[in-house]
Amino acid sequence: MVTRLAEIVRGARLVNFGSLMLEHGIRLKWIRHRDELRKLSVAKQRRLQTSTAARISKMKEKAVIVDTHLFIKTAEGFWPGLPFEVVRALKPTHVVLVEASAEEVLARRASDSGRYRDEVTKEGLAGELAFARSFLPIISTITGAPSLIVENREGGSETAARTISRMLRDSER
Ligand code: AMP
Ligand code: MG
């Protein structure tokens, strides 16, 4: 979905927050793959998160689309993906939560064999989706940016990408 979005939005650069954190974590020899990131101490994750936010904040493109997480399930508890300092560095103009139903998320994860996922039930996932939503008004309040929830149904990634790109286009009028 985000890959498609970045193709549609003219002049946009797509960055995956986790990929940049991973690069830095590998350079420091803390980890080897992305599913080890959330297992690091929160102190170490925070160092990678802060360096990544600083790196993204220096990007000069007309539009930067950041694919990230509103929270991370760490061994120390739920930890915000966009805490105050990070969201202030990124200065987002728009915040979009891309949602799928718990069933769809479970089905996608089951077919995504290249990752080391933690076990999670449908109820647990539904709780996580609600928890993600609860971050939106906080981020909007800190940044003044509107937040939008977009459904990304099975087979509906084109529609979701078009909904977001139309919103961005209209925001320039
Ligand atoms: P992804 O492949 O997009 O699911 O992201 C991979 C990993 O990157 C996540 O499981 C997190 O450990 C990490 N990550 C992504 N965004 C953030 C963020 N804003 N803050 C901290 N960790 C993040
Ligand atoms: Mg992702």
Side-chain angles (χ1 to χ4, degrees):
M1 200 294 292
V2 278
T3 320
R4 183 68 192 120
L5 177 65
E7 285 169 8
I8 306 174
V9 179
R10 235 176 296 142
R13 168 170 183 182
L14 173 62
V15 264
N16 183 289
F17 201 101
S19 299
L20 296 189
M21 285 181 63
L22 177 64
E23 263 178 34
H24 194 189
I26 289 174
R27 246 186 290 129
L28 294 170
K29 298 200 162 49
W30 286 353
I31 43 171
R32 280 148 305 168
H33 63 81
R34 52 200 311 120
D35 290 302
E36 286 178 322
L37 269 173
R38 64 174 180 277
K39 316 250 157 122
L40 287 168
S41 67
V42 165
K44 281 188 169 162
Q45 289 182 67
R46 186 176 292 115
R47 280 177 55 187
L48 301 178
Q49 188 188 53
T50 305
S51 66
T52 296
R55 210 172 138 189
I56 296 172
S57 71
K58 292 188 192 105
M59 293 180 178
K60 298 272 183 275
E61 285 77 7
K62 178 167 176 280
V64 179
I65 300 171
V66 183
D67 177 1
T68 187
H69 288 231
L70 287 167
F71 68 90
I72 294 88
K73 244 163 93 181
T74 74
E76 296 165 55
F78 292 107
W79 175 59
L82 299 171
F84 189 75
E85 319 80 62
V86 170
V87 86
R88 294 278 292 190
L90 295 180
K91 296 191 179 64
T93 56
H94 298 83
V95 180
V96 182
L97 172 61
V98 181
E99 270 193 349
S101 67
E103 288 88 348
E104 282 174 340
V105 175
L106 278 179
R108 283 179 209 171
R109 288 192 183 175
S111 66
D112 183 6
S113 59
R115 297 283 301 261
Y116 300 89
R117 302 287 194 180
D118 298 325
E119 286 299 320
V120 61
T121 61
K122 203 173 103 184
E123 292 69 36
L125 256 182
E128 289 182 31
L129 291 172
F131 193 53
R133 279 187 179 215
S134 73
F135 280 96
L136 294 182
I138 306 173
I139 294 172
S140 276
T141 302
I142 295 173
T143 59
S147 45
L148 183 70
I149 300 174
V150 172
E151 296 295 326
N152 184 16
R153 310 226 65 111
E154 202 48 51
S157 61
E158 179 69 26
T159 310
R162 294 219 168 263
T163 302
I164 300 167
S165 72
R166 197 178 325 115
M167 175 278 286
L168 290 173
R169 192 166 5 88
D170 290 349
S171 76
E172 287 173 359
R173 285 201 305 220

